[in-house]
Amino acid sequence: MTCGFGVSVLFTTYAFAGVYYALWTPLTVFTVMIATVMFVLVCAYRNALRLLMNVSLLGGTLAPLSLRPETDQVFALFLYMLVLNAGVFFIAIQK
């Protein structure tokens, strides 16, 4: 559970760095979010932690709500959700 909370803090940090303070470009924020989701899903897979998987899924699903892009980023949003859901689906089938 602590790891899930840490990941949600990371997502919030990425959102603030990219959206509110404009320290990162939107592509950088998107790439870092995908990398974080994949890392957590790999950790959940190796340790057979469904709770971690569910918490990371919740955090990953809520993360795009905090972003405020200047243009429509529909393709990037659906690509992000595809990666997130494919990882969770894979773990659910394997474990």
Side-chain angles (χ1 to χ4, degrees), residues 1 3-4 7 36-57 84 87-95:
M1 191 67 150
C3 184
V7 170
T36 304
V37 166
M38 294 307 292
F39 173 73
V40 171
L41 290 176
V42 167
C43 289
Y45 178 75
R46 287 188 180 177
N47 298 318
L49 296 171
R50 286 189 180 230
L51 181 63
L52 176 60
M53 180 183 66
N54 290 330
V55 170
S56 66
L57 174 64
L84 183 69
V88 170
F89 184 70
F90 175 75
I91 292 174
I93 288 176
Q94 292 295 319
K95 299 293 179 177

Side-chain angles (χ1 to χ4, degrees), residues 59-70:
T61 304
L62 294 177
L65 296 176
S66 64
L67 299 175
R68 287 193 249 163
E70 295 174 2

Side-chain angles (χ1 to χ4, degrees), residues 14-35:
Y14 301 153
F16 273 97
V19 176
Y20 297 105
Y21 293 112
L23 298 174
W24 295 347
T25 63
L27 180 63
T28 305
V29 174
F30 177 70
T31 305
V32 172
M33 281 186 175
I34 285 182

Side-chain angles (χ1 to χ4, degrees), residues 72-86:
D72 288 339
Q73 301 290 329
V74 176
F75 178 74
L77 175 65
F78 282 111
L79 180 65
Y80 174 76
M81 295 307 289
L82 175 70
V83 169
L84 183 69
N85 291 326

